[in-house]
Amino acid sequence: ASLHPRPRHAPLGHEPVSIPSGPTHPHHDEKGSLKESETQVPVDAPRALLSLRLSVLSGRSTSPVRQELDLRRLAIDRGFRVVGVASDLDTSATKIPPWRRKELGEWLNNRVPEFDVLMTWSLDRLVRRIDDLATMVTWCLKNGKNLLSRNEQLDLTTPAGKEMARLIAGVAEIEAANVSTRLTSLWDYAKHQTDWLVGKPTYGYTTATDLDGHTVLVQDITAGRVLRWSRERILAGASARRVATVLVRSGLCGPGLTVSTLLRRLRNPGLMGFRVEEDKQGGIRRSKLVLDMEGRPIRIAEPIFTEIEFDSLQDALAKRSRNQPARQSGGCTKFLGILLCAACGTNMTVQNTFHNGKLYRYLRCRNCRSGGLGAPNPEEVYARLVEESVSALGDLPVFVREYAYYTERADKPAFRNGVTFFEPGDSTPEMDDVSPTDSSGRWTFVHNGKTFGERWAAEGADTLAADLRRAGVTCEITRSKIPGTRAPKIELELKIPDGVSDRLAIKPDAFAS
């Protein structure tokens, strides 16, 4: 079979389309003419942001040039002043919502005060999911923005547009309330069937259609070879790490295969042809058997391993396994990206070492030989970092970025470039009193009455680490050999960038929920 790849973004049956460029193309002449017309729009006119998107450029797709020209004409007709174009090409609206896209996401998250109207060629250019549309409508109403579609009757300044928005939000709310119930009901039914109805097959199997048109599980030839060979090598005494290395070098498994992934596959009881479901306990991913009404496993495929073969494999794995400590929710290494080696500049990470049945933990780096001098007792290093961070930054006031409205002209000295600093107690206009065409919105940074020392004392080390990363604060660790002692001398130096007060300001994610 030919291994020559098809052009990355060319769908089957279509050749890639190149967008014409150069000053002689008529699209450029038309765009230039429209831009000249836009100069006649009053400076205080509503400001429009144009959103362009395509999943794939093909002969059947609407080119981004055409989208932009149509939207610029509509903006002129409506009396809008175009202030920006967010162009996200080769972007799936189903997989990536508007606020997570590279260009449009930057406008929605950080450049909110710079536009009043979000214009899209059609709704499917903006979203492909009803809940994403409901989120965008809610966000626009909350932030005083108008959402305008060229090809649909969606305009939040019109009664029909508002009614459509309410309908969309209501349908999305009902859908969100029912989706969990539907999925649970579907899985409760599907997991007790011998046919394969839903879910991801166990590694070693793939789906196929039988003579009756039913979807069934069949063994994957390559994956089956991998599993059987792995069992043979482990029974012969090879380590799981050695087996994973050989599989990657042979090309039978991809370079992303890890020891934990290999062990998880070999420990899956689904290899005996039974139906399984995920079982999470103590942060460890496992698969467990699904039992029928009589308490028996449900067979859905021919087994890769018999029960005797599977049990012997589990015994061999158990003999070679070590009792690993329970996984920590924030990862093994705290303050990752903050604690750096002073010698090589790379991250300090925690290495767990077992000796005579006892667990030893060391902070090591990546580039120094053998990880450098191991810094034992990482918790002590963490405590020193917390102490120095609170001492240096704990007295700084906590400011939180909020989007607010200013109903008068921006003539106060504190108003600069769309950013206003409010003192505690200052009042802001109510959201209900602001129309979607109000162009006086701006960022405000409001002091919440706390210091960062109080914030970290109340919310813990995870919050401290997140704040330090956001501000670009790092801590260099120097390890010096002490004669006659295994443990080195540990010195910490906090590196605080300029403008740390502004960097520490909290910017909540408006789309986090």
Side-chain angles (χ1 to χ4, degrees), residues 8 18 42 48 50 52 185 280 288 309 320 354 399 422 447 508:
R8 182 183 174 196
S18 60
L50 312 184
L52 317 178
S185 176
K280 287 186 177 180
K288 66 178 181 179
E309 291 172 336
R320 300 184 62 87
F354 287 88
F399 281 94
F422 276 119
H447 177 33

Side-chain angles (χ1 to χ4, degrees), residues 388-389 392-393 396 468 471-475 493-501 503-504:
E388 294 198 14
S389 299
L393 305 171
L396 294 177
L468 294 182
V473 176
T474 58
C475 181
E493 183 180 1
L494 207 61
K495 299 286 187 177
I496 301 177
D498 295 335
V500 68
S501 298
R503 290 168 174 261
L504 278 172

Side-chain angles (χ1 to χ4, degrees), residues 445-501:
F445 288 85
V446 182
H447 177 33
N448 67 359
K450 294 183 179 180
T451 65
F452 276 99
E454 294 170 339
R455 167 180 166 87
W456 297 333
E459 301 184 23
D462 290 343
T463 299
L464 168 60
D467 289 342
L468 294 182
R469 291 190 194 99
R470 183 177 65 255
V473 176
T474 58
C475 181
E476 292 187 353
I477 295 182
T478 302
R479 295 160 288 172
S480 304
K481 178 68 175 176
I482 301 178
T485 306
R486 293 188 61 185
K489 179 183 177 182
I490 305 297
E491 295 179 355
L492 276 64
E493 183 180 1
L494 207 61
K495 299 286 187 177
I496 301 177
D498 295 335
V500 68
S501 298

Side-chain angles (χ1 to χ4, degrees), residues 12-67:
L12 293 175
H14 298 285
E15 293 298 325
V17 175
S18 60
I19 301 176
S21 60
T24 60
H25 195 274
H27 281 167
H28 289 265
D29 295 338
E30 186 175 1
K31 183 176 178 180
S33 176
L34 290 173
K35 284 189 173 183
E36 184 175 350
S37 300
E38 291 169 3
T39 61
Q40 307 301 319
V41 178
V43 177
D44 59 349
R47 300 161 298 174
L49 169 64
L50 312 184
S51 174
L52 317 178
R53 187 197 64 80
L54 281 179
S55 297
V56 177
L57 288 176
S58 71
R60 296 184 179 180
S61 62
T62 304
S63 79
V65 176
R66 175 55 54 190
Q67 291 183 40

Side-chain angles (χ1 to χ4, degrees), residues 258-276:
T258 63
V259 175
S260 59
T261 299
L262 175 63
L263 291 175
R264 188 166 62 248
R265 291 173 177 176
L266 294 175
R267 287 175 173 146
N268 193 336
L271 299 178
M272 295 181 287
F274 297 134
R275 185 180 294 281
V276 294

Side-chain angles (χ1 to χ4, degrees), residues 94-166:
T94 303
K95 297 179 180 179
I96 306 177
W99 52 92
R100 295 288 177 259
R101 293 171 198 161
K102 184 175 181 180
E103 293 199 14
L104 182 56
E106 173 65 18
W107 283 88
L108 298 179
N109 289 289
N110 297 314
R111 304 181 65 177
V112 184
E114 299 180 31
F115 68 97
D116 308 303
V117 185
L118 176 60
M119 300 180 64
T120 181
W121 194 81
S122 64
L123 285 180
D124 66 344
R125 297 299 93 195
L126 182 67
V127 295
R128 285 290 178 92
R129 296 166 57 91
I130 188 68
D131 52 345
D132 288 349
L133 178 57
T135 299
M136 286 303 305
V137 169
T138 302
W139 181 88
C140 287
L141 292 175
K142 179 181 178 181
N143 292 279
K145 308 298 179 185
N146 187 16
L147 179 59
L148 186 63
S149 172
R150 175 185 179 274
N151 293 338
E152 289 87 11
Q153 296 299 316
L154 181 60
D155 183 346
L156 299 185
T157 62
T158 65
K162 291 179 180 179
E163 289 300 322
M164 182 178 179
R166 291 192 185 96

